[in-house]
Amino acid sequence: MTEWDAIVIGAGIGGLVTASQLARRGAKVLVLEKYLIPGGSAGYFERSGYRFDVGASMIFGLGTQGTTNLLTRALAAVDQKLATIPDPVQVHYHLPGQRQVRVHRDYEKFLAELSALFPHEKRGIRGFYDECWRVFNYLNSIELLSLEEPRYLWRVFTQNPWACLGLAAYLPWNVGNIARKYIRDPELLKFIDLECYIWSVVPAEKTPMINAGMVFSDRHYGGIHYPKGGVGQIAQKLVAGLQRYGGEIRYKSRVTQILVENRQAVGVVCATGDVYRARRIISNATRWDTFGHLLTDIPPAEQRWRRWYQPSPSFLSLHLGVRQSAIPKDTDCHHVVLDDWAQMEAPYQTLFISIPTLLDPDLAPPGHHILHVFTPCWLADWEGLSPLAYAQRKEAMAGQIIERLLALFPRLDQDLDYMEIGTPRTHRRFLGRINGTYGPMPRRSLPGLLLMPFNRTSVPGLYCVGDSTFPGQGLNAVAFSGFACAHRVATDLGL
């Protein structure tokens, strides 16, 4: 039986970054993926001539400068390049009271547009977002690897002590604490909540300031870039890099158990009965799926973490193919629609819209566009239904969402060519995530990132990677987790 240096469970972006980085350093790596293609929520599927992204199309980390362009750096480390298309507007907000604001790549243009809505808060707006830049500049001045590796920490500290001390000072803080230093207007504070919610699925009081510093500044620094050929190209390129350096990936390989011998993780068992052994096991599943499913025991450290964090909602997704006439001229690629501030966190109320064919027309048949519309909701809404009731509920909810979208796209219903509806049950089935969850969210306001676990677990030889490890959700964040995990594992393997 072949023994590997490392086995990675799941080919999400965090798992693939870990695997490819380890292979680049000479480790013998095997990735086991339950599905037919890599990427997880950053994958794709094709229907009727359309290539749909499974998840969001708003991609950070593909810039060309600094140290925070982690997707670019992950690809380059394994000799891969990805053609991308820059997006001049990160997101176009459609706010309560028919207010609108665009987050332009140009920082000053964004500040001017937001300040025009809240002229009395012009100074506070700049103060808050400039402080986000301060956090980002600290991050962007150091190499981002494992915070569990003492030699790395010492090296980074001696090279740039002020950046390290600056970041440490922000670790316990959430966005809400900082925003209220500068801003008093309740509606503007609600907007800051929405700015956090669209990527963290929690308001500002529960969103770590370090994460916000990255997101709110990198959209202007590195910018938003869409991969030519779709988001799934990121995973495809990482697999190519993994294989270039001798790593292997096996699809249709669903891991059902992590083997533990003498209290150490030593291998995995697949649904087929196949057993694979390795010196280190890395789970790209959520912590809830890792502990309590792949492992039956839930260690005390994981029980504590569950008291702090819970699975976030999943999504109802509409993947739409429409005729070109459905999209008005000068429409932006990404939109967020909210009609009532009080309903921001309520199921089905905040709508996220991506139209990636505005950047890459080749994703759809000629004369057509893709709209991906998704909104947070809970699995409980979709369980216990007969097949007929389930199908009827999908159609009814899709109809309600399309009705709301007519305010932006008046021809949408008559120009609709194709529709596929995904629910939390769909996400649970195809992504293998508990309740179809987007990731972890704090049960209450916590001290920033101080309670978010790193990659090592309390089971020797077992590591976690992905959005339920530091620093959390988002492709660039899980790439950070992947770099950190690979660094820690390589150090432990003596590579």
Side-chain angles (χ1 to χ4, degrees):
M1 179 186 295
T2 301
E3 178 156 322
W4 305 85
D5 289 320
I7 290 173
V8 179
I9 304 167
I13 297 300
L16 289 175
V17 170
T18 303
S20 57
Q21 294 298 305
L22 284 171
R24 179 67 177 82
R25 296 181 68 163
K28 192 173 183 179
V29 183
L30 173 65
V31 179
L32 298 171
E33 167 57 42
K34 64 173 286 189
Y35 195 47
L36 305 173
I37 59 171
S41 58
Y44 71 95
F45 63 95
E46 295 178 332
R47 299 284 190 278
S48 301
Y50 297 95
R51 174 174 284 194
F52 294 107
D53 297 327
V54 170
S57 305
M58 188 191 300
I59 308 302
F60 295 83
L62 287 172
T64 59
Q65 56 185 340
T67 64
T68 59
N69 56 339
L70 294 173
L71 292 173
T72 297
R73 293 165 69 85
L75 293 166
V78 287
D79 307 323
Q80 301 297 308
K81 292 183 178 180
L82 184 63
T84 64
I85 305 146
D87 190 348
V89 174
Q90 181 223 358
V91 62
H92 182 164
Y93 287 107
H94 304 263
L95 305 174
Q98 298 186 329
R99 289 181 149 193
Q100 298 184 35
V101 64
R102 291 174 172 86
V103 179
H104 300 272
R105 168 78 184 268
D106 185 307
Y107 180 57
E108 294 298 330
K109 192 174 180 180
F110 162 59
L111 291 189
E113 191 160 322
L114 184 59
S115 297
L117 288 183
F118 302 95
H120 55 291
E121 288 281 15
K122 182 176 180 179
R123 184 175 179 181
I125 288 169
R126 179 171 291 279
F128 168 68
Y129 284 104
D130 279 358
E131 185 151 352
C132 292
W133 271 103
R134 193 172 306 131
V135 175
F136 177 80
N137 289 332
Y138 290 147
L139 287 166
N140 201 37
S141 64
I142 62 177
E143 185 182 13
L144 301 175
L145 293 172
S146 176
L147 301 182
E148 298 179 281
E149 213 287 282
R151 287 173 296 179
Y152 157 75
L153 291 175
W154 176 247
R155 173 168 55 83
V156 168
F157 181 79
T158 56
Q159 290 173 347
N160 201 330
W162 295 115
C164 294
L165 291 172
L167 282 176
Y170 280 106
L171 271 174
W173 292 99
N174 291 321
V175 178
N177 307 118
I178 306 300
R180 286 191 295 272
K181 284 173 46 180
Y182 298 98
I183 295 168
R184 295 291 179 266
D185 187 294
E187 188 174 6
L188 181 55
L189 288 170
K190 288 290 187 182
F191 175 76
I192 302 300
D193 281 336
L194 185 60
E195 279 259 78
C196 294
Y197 183 75
I198 68 169
W199 52 270
S200 70
V201 296
V202 289
E205 67 177 5
K206 296 181 181 179
T207 300
M209 183 61 185
I210 286 182
N211 298 48
M214 173 78 84
V215 172
F216 292 164
S217 304
D218 190 44
R219 61 193 182 183
H220 306 291
Y221 178 82
I224 306 300
H225 297 263
Y226 187 76
K228 179 68 177 174
V231 173
Q233 291 299 306
I234 301 172
Q236 298 282 358
K237 292 285 187 178
L238 286 170
V239 168
L242 167 72
Q243 293 170 332
R244 177 180 176 84
Y245 282 92
E248 292 187 30
I249 183 167
R250 297 181 186 175
Y251 299 106
K252 296 189 288 186
S253 298
R254 182 169 64 90
V255 174
T256 57
Q257 180 186 353
I258 295 172
L259 290 176
V260 176
E261 296 175 0
N262 298 321
R263 300 183 179 180
Q264 174 144 344
V266 296
V268 301
V269 180
C270 290
T272 57
D274 293 326
V275 176
Y276 301 93
R277 302 181 72 88
R279 297 168 64 192
R280 297 292 186 272
I281 307 299
I282 302 155
S283 176
N284 193 194
T286 72
R287 299 188 91 91
W288 294 282
D289 291 297
T290 301
F291 296 98
H293 178 58
L294 299 179
L295 284 171
T296 55
D297 291 335
I298 304 176
E302 298 299 322
Q303 295 177 27
R304 285 194 300 274
W305 184 76
R306 292 179 186 202
R307 291 196 291 270
W308 298 326
Y309 289 90
Q310 64 182 331
S312 71
S314 183
F315 292 97
L316 176 69
S317 296
L318 274 59
H319 289 90
L320 309 178
V322 301
R323 285 181 282 277
Q324 199 170 42
S325 52
I327 309 300
K329 186 180 179 182
D330 299 326
T331 296
D332 296 307
C333 180
H334 299 105
H335 301 256
V336 170
V337 178
L338 178 63
D339 300 326
D340 181 351
W341 290 118
Q343 296 297 310
M344 183 187 75
E345 296 181 82
Y348 312 107
Q349 296 305 305
T350 301
L351 300 182
F352 303 79
I353 305 159
S354 293
I355 316 171
T357 42
L358 291 171
L359 300 175
D360 185 359
D362 294 339
L363 299 172
H368 291 74
H369 277 298
I370 284 172
L371 269 79
H372 179 198
V373 186
F374 52 105
T375 184
C377 65
W378 298 95
L379 177 67
D381 291 352
W382 298 91
E383 293 206 295
L385 300 174
S386 69
L388 177 60
Y390 180 61
Q392 290 174 336
R393 181 165 177 76
K394 288 203 297 183
E395 291 291 333
M397 295 305 301
Q400 291 179 25
I401 290 172
I402 289 174
E403 184 69 25
R404 289 179 64 189
L405 293 176
L406 291 176
L408 275 65
F409 312 106
R411 292 181 53 90
L412 180 59
D413 53 350
Q414 58 190 301
D415 283 337
L416 185 61
D417 175 60
Y418 179 87
M419 178 168 68
E420 183 140 339
I421 307 167
T423 73
R425 285 169 54 172
T426 314
H427 299 147
R428 179 180 62 181
R429 176 185 175 190
F430 288 102
L431 302 180
R433 297 172 67 86
I434 182 173
N435 301 339
T437 182
Y438 172 68
M441 68 178 192
R443 293 183 180 273
R444 59 186 183 278
S445 183
L446 297 175
L449 282 172
L450 287 180
L451 300 180
M452 180 61 81
F454 296 117
N455 301 108
R456 285 192 293 192
T457 74
S458 53
V459 178
L462 175 63
Y463 306 74
C464 284
V465 69
D467 54 24
S468 51
T469 63
F470 184 95
Q473 295 104 328
L475 291 192
N476 210 31
V478 298
F480 182 1
S481 174
F483 271 107
C485 189
H487 183 203
R488 181 65 263 175
V489 172
T491 300
D492 292 345
L493 289 173
L495 298 176

